[in-house]
Amino acid sequence: MGKVTGFFEYERVSPSKQEPTDRIQHYKEFLDPLPAEQLNKQAARCMDCGVPFCQSGCPLGNVIPEFNDAVYKGDWLNAAEILLSTNNFPEFTGRICPAPCESACVLGINKSPVSIEEIEKHIIEIAFNKGYIKANAPLIRTGKKVAIIGSGPAGLAAAAQLNKAGHEVVVFERDDVPGGLLRYGIPDFKLQKDVVTRRINLMEEEGITFKCNANVGENVELSTLLRDYHALILAGGSTIPRNLNLPGRELEGIHFAMDFLKQQNKRVGGRVVTEQELKATGKNVIVIGGGDTGSDCIGTSNRQGAKSVTQFEIMPMPPQSRTEHMPWPQYPMLLKVTSSHEEGAHRNWAVNTQKFNADENGNLKSLSVIEVQWEIDANGRALGFKEIPGTEKEYPCELVLLAMGFLHPQKEGLLAKLGVELDERGNVKAIEGNYQTNIPKVFAAGDMRRGQSLVVWAISEGRETARKVDEYLMGYSKLPSKDAIAYA
């Protein structure tokens, strides 16, 4: 490495942020870029480990020590080439990935880990600014056509890789613009949509076709795709949210988180919202669910001018540091304080919702909850909970957002008409390591196959599925696997 002693000379430094009172006045990103001197020092903290656990912690197998070395030397072109060899969209992962690579960083055993995610974001943004990132269409086409259904991160990654292999790729998206979760699921203050549009435009320049407002199985005939394309990839995501069927669920004011977030993303993008308007302005908002989607609801509610925001999580509060049940390099389930939490929210742990209450006019007025006690086994796993008598409380609210995760992909329409097999969880069943369904020319990738997961996993699935599709079409694949790159 460029600085062998950097890991004990320099401390981890995070980029500065706008103050919460200022950033809730807009929906733009609010992190300041790190100065060149700080980037140099942060890259110098990489230890050049004999075994780079960060690479195994990353679902994409990013070659992290090598791009850190290039950053330390100021060789941005080389850094970008190394990063893009495993990751099609570092501008996405550098903003919204929870960075499992940092949890596996060897330096993290007794110090703060290397700022891998932040360095990754700076590499790609500097590469764009320097003009290194340009459309690179394949010189030779194979004559094979591939249809990809869904333009989220898995679909986009598969499209990019198959296009590199020379196949003709068409991406079908049922929304009005491409991007899937990146476009309509993640708020602009975490991922500005000009970043997504920039990448989509580049992919179009490289020869990929996007067809929007194209709901396959509804206004796009499935039989036409099966006839006209040599292979299909199902990358529609896990879109059916987990519900909370309790007394009062039918009351007005109880909505799924993604319906709420999608509307605001449309407003920020200047698009017309045709559905019933969901806004938190002037309301007591309760978010049920403690994950990233719940955090996004908090940040959006505060920007809309909510009267109060409260978050409930049925699980107990996680520890702030690793326990014996979360040894390095496992990904630890620790207490996470997001930028949205910093902006204001009351957080409640080990709370079970009992019912939704109506006022005299039949409108939602409050939520009844009770505290619970979890039984934990010797390995730190939660076995179940018991309600604690006498801890019942009622919280006033006019808007409840259900952010408890997703169950499986939508079965009606495309999947039902296609007749593809599903697994025991309701996801599309595909051969492990091959991504092929019971219909030989139909493959599955991302959340639709593996269930609700991380953006970085979706990109990994898209890349690996593309390699298997290329192999199916040509008898062999020119696209490298992540393991081949990592150990080259």
Side-chain angles (χ1 to χ4, degrees):
M1 300 303 293
K3 183 84 169 178
V4 178
T5 57
F7 67 93
F8 65 79
E9 291 184 26
Y10 307 124
E11 297 298 322
R12 178 178 172 124
V13 174
S14 298
S16 59
K17 309 174 190 174
Q18 273 187 299
E19 290 297 319
T21 52
D22 295 328
R23 65 187 189 233
I24 63 171
Q25 304 303 319
H26 62 81
Y27 289 89
K28 296 180 180 179
E29 294 178 17
F30 47 78
L31 292 176
D32 297 323
L34 285 174
E37 180 186 0
Q38 278 295 349
L39 274 175
N40 179 274
K41 291 180 179 179
Q42 293 308 298
R45 297 183 72 237
C46 188
M47 300 170 66
D48 192 18
C49 307
V51 178
F53 282 86
C54 55
Q55 288 182 205
S56 59
C58 173
L60 285 165
N62 282 343
V63 193
I64 295 164
E66 280 74 7
F67 71 59
N68 278 330
D69 184 47
V71 170
Y72 177 77
K73 294 173 179 176
D75 189 350
W76 294 104
L77 177 58
N78 188 31
E81 288 175 345
I82 294 169
L83 179 55
L84 289 167
S85 69
T86 56
N87 185 353
N88 300 83
F89 314 120
E91 67 269 35
F92 302 155
T93 55
R95 288 171 164 86
I96 59 177
C97 180
C101 55
E102 294 186 13
S103 297
C105 174
V106 177
L107 185 57
I109 295 175
N110 59 359
K111 297 187 75 172
S112 297
V114 176
S115 308
I116 301 170
E117 183 180 23
E118 194 62 33
I119 292 170
E120 181 178 310
K121 183 177 75 172
H122 279 76
I123 291 173
I124 190 63
E125 290 303 328
I126 290 171
F128 268 112
N129 291 337
K130 288 182 175 290
Y132 298 153
I133 310 300
K134 298 177 181 178
N136 188 18
L139 297 176
I140 300 174
R141 291 291 180 180
T142 64
K144 303 292 186 180
K145 296 176 64 178
V146 181
I148 297 177
I149 302 170
S151 68
L156 292 179
Q161 291 297 98
L162 287 166
N163 187 61
K164 285 181 182 179
H167 306 304
E168 182 181 339
V169 180
V170 180
V171 181
F172 294 85
E173 171 56 55
R174 65 181 178 181
D175 275 324
D176 56 341
V177 281
L181 174 79
L182 302 168
R183 178 75 66 176
Y184 282 142
I186 298 170
D188 288 66
F189 53 81
K190 287 174 64 175
L191 175 64
Q192 284 186 201
K193 301 311 169 233
D194 56 349
V195 175
V196 180
T197 301
R198 178 180 64 184
R199 179 58 68 172
I200 297 292
N201 291 343
L202 191 66
M203 294 175 72
E204 288 179 325
E205 287 182 52
E206 292 176 334
I208 298 170
T209 300
F210 291 90
K211 294 189 176 182
C212 297
N213 297 307
N215 192 352
V216 179
E218 298 299 330
N219 62 354
V220 176
E221 285 294 331
L222 186 56
S223 58
T224 302
L225 298 191
L226 290 169
R227 182 187 68 237
D228 294 347
Y229 291 84
H230 297 94
L232 274 68
I233 297 179
L234 307 177
S238 182
T239 57
I240 303 301
R242 183 173 283 107
N243 203 354
L244 196 59
N245 291 314
L246 295 173
R249 173 63 180 87
E250 74 286 351
L251 294 173
E252 180 59 40
I254 305 168
H255 302 277
F256 291 116
M258 204 52 65
D259 295 336
F260 173 73
L261 295 173
K262 182 175 182 178
Q263 279 200 14
Q264 186 54 46
N265 278 11
K266 281 190 170 185
R267 292 188 195 100
V268 174
R271 294 178 175 83
V272 177
V273 176
T274 56
E275 302 82 9
Q276 174 195 357
E277 185 173 73
L278 306 180
K279 293 195 79 171
T281 310
K283 296 177 181 177
N284 294 296
V285 179
I286 290 181
V287 179
I288 301 179
D292 286 338
T293 302
S295 170
D296 294 343
C297 288
I298 292 171
T300 302
S301 295
N302 279 322
R303 282 163 176 76
Q304 290 182 355
K307 184 176 180 181
S308 69
V309 183
T310 303
Q311 185 177 32
F312 291 142
E313 170 57 60
I314 195 169
M315 298 299 294
M317 186 172 74
Q320 296 186 17
S321 59
R322 289 184 184 271
T323 67
E324 61 179 339
H325 305 301
M326 294 182 281
W328 175 90
Q330 292 182 7
Y331 186 77
M333 301 303 293
L334 303 178
L335 178 64
K336 187 176 181 180
V337 179
T338 68
S339 60
S340 293
H341 293 131
E342 295 170 355
E343 293 159 6
H346 304 286
R347 304 178 75 179
N348 296 270
W349 304 93
V351 172
N352 190 29
T353 306
Q354 292 182 305
K355 62 178 180 176
F356 305 102
N357 305 308
D359 61 17
E360 61 276 7
N361 297 318
N363 299 315
L364 176 68
K365 74 165 186 177
S366 66
L367 187 66
S368 294
V369 301
I370 188 169
E371 294 179 17
V372 299
Q373 182 174 6
W374 283 87
E375 181 183 355
I376 308 296
D377 68 10
N379 296 314
R381 291 179 300 218
L383 300 178
F385 66 83
K386 295 185 295 184
E387 295 183 345
I388 305 174
T391 62
E392 298 87 350
K393 290 184 181 179
E394 186 174 338
Y395 288 82
C397 61
E398 296 79 44
L399 177 63
V400 170
L401 300 171
L402 304 179
M404 303 174 296
F406 299 85
L407 297 172
H408 48 68
Q410 179 182 322
K411 299 176 183 178
E412 299 78 20
L414 169 63
L415 298 185
K417 292 179 181 179
L418 185 59
V420 69
E421 285 185 17
L422 305 178
D423 64 18
E424 62 279 1
R425 296 186 299 160
N427 299 318
V428 175
K429 187 176 182 179
I431 301 171
E432 187 66 34
N434 198 40
Y435 306 94
Q436 195 170 28
T437 70
N438 59 303
I439 303 173
K441 70 187 298 184
V442 179
F443 296 74
D447 290 4
M448 181 172 268
R449 188 194 77 85
R450 65 177 282 121
Q452 176 190 345
S453 190
L454 307 175
V455 167
V456 68
W457 264 115
I459 297 173
S460 176
E461 288 255 321
R463 288 175 62 91
E464 294 300 304
T465 303
R467 190 167 62 88
K468 290 301 180 180
V469 171
D470 187 34
E471 189 176 287
Y472 166 79
L473 295 175
M474 308 302 291
Y476 67 97
S477 180
K478 302 175 289 296
L479 299 171
S481 68
K482 63 180 180 182
D483 292 336
I485 295 174
Y487 300 107

